[in-house]
Amino acid sequence: KALEEMRSHYIKAVGKIKGDMLRYIHESKERAAEMIRTEVLRERQETARRMRK
Amino acid sequence: KALEEMRSHYIKAVGKIKGDMLRYIHESKERAAEMIRTEVLRERQETARRMRK
Amino acid sequence: AARFLEEEELRSQQILEQLDAHIEVLKMESERTVKQFT
């Protein structure tokens, strides 16, 4: 009855919150991977420069 | 009554989710800062080595 | 670097398990409330 509806309403609401958190976590992992990729690239260029000298 | 109880269950769940997320985000900030610190240190040692040569 | 990403992967799995656990608790507690009042 009304209670069941309220229950499913609340459960849907936390499900949505979880979805938002999933997206946030995924984005922060992407950012971390991107940060490391640029870092490795810089290292390579640096080493290449040193080798040339 | 029943609705009040249902609502307090929901509030409790959301509070726990919020707590976990805050901890997770804080940890991410700590780890990123730590990574940058070690990075700067490595740079310094690298430069110092080059200066000596 | 690779270790950092591995740890990130692990941490994200842990946090998701925690979130699911809270949702399960909510489901059970609310189920109990519904039963109590019907």
Side-chain angles (χ1 to χ4, degrees), chain B residues 8 19 24 26 28 30-33 35-38 43 46-47 50-52:
Chain B
S8 69
Y24 174 83
H26 180 73
S28 308
E30 293 268 305
R31 287 161 45 80
M35 202 169 91
I36 287 169
R37 259 196 299 277
T38 39
E43 285 284 298
E46 186 54 36
T47 317
R50 251 179 300 148
M51 300 299 264
R52 275 201 295 279

Side-chain angles (χ1 to χ4, degrees), chain C residues 11-25:
Chain C
R11 273 175 1 103
S12 59
Q13 275 155 20
Q14 280 165 353
I15 185 88
L16 290 181
E17 277 157 23
Q18 285 166 341
L19 297 194
D20 284 338
H22 300 328
I23 292 175
E24 276 321 300
V25 165

Side-chain angles (χ1 to χ4, degrees), chain A residues 9-26:
Chain A
H9 168 76
Y10 279 136
I11 287 171
K12 212 164 64 196
V14 283
K16 196 189 160 316
I17 292 174
K18 185 194 158 189
D20 295 345
M21 294 302 117
L22 257 171
R23 233 188 337 279
Y24 173 85
I25 289 168
H26 182 73

Side-chain angles (χ1 to χ4, degrees), chain A residues 46 50, chain B residues 39-53:
Chain A
E46 182 60 28
R50 266 210 300 280
Chain B
E39 191 44 43
V40 166
L41 204 68
R42 219 159 47 76
E43 285 284 298
R44 280 220 197 97
Q45 282 159 349
E46 186 54 36
T47 317
R49 242 200 310 279
R50 251 179 300 148
M51 300 299 264
R52 275 201 295 279
K53 274 188 195 146

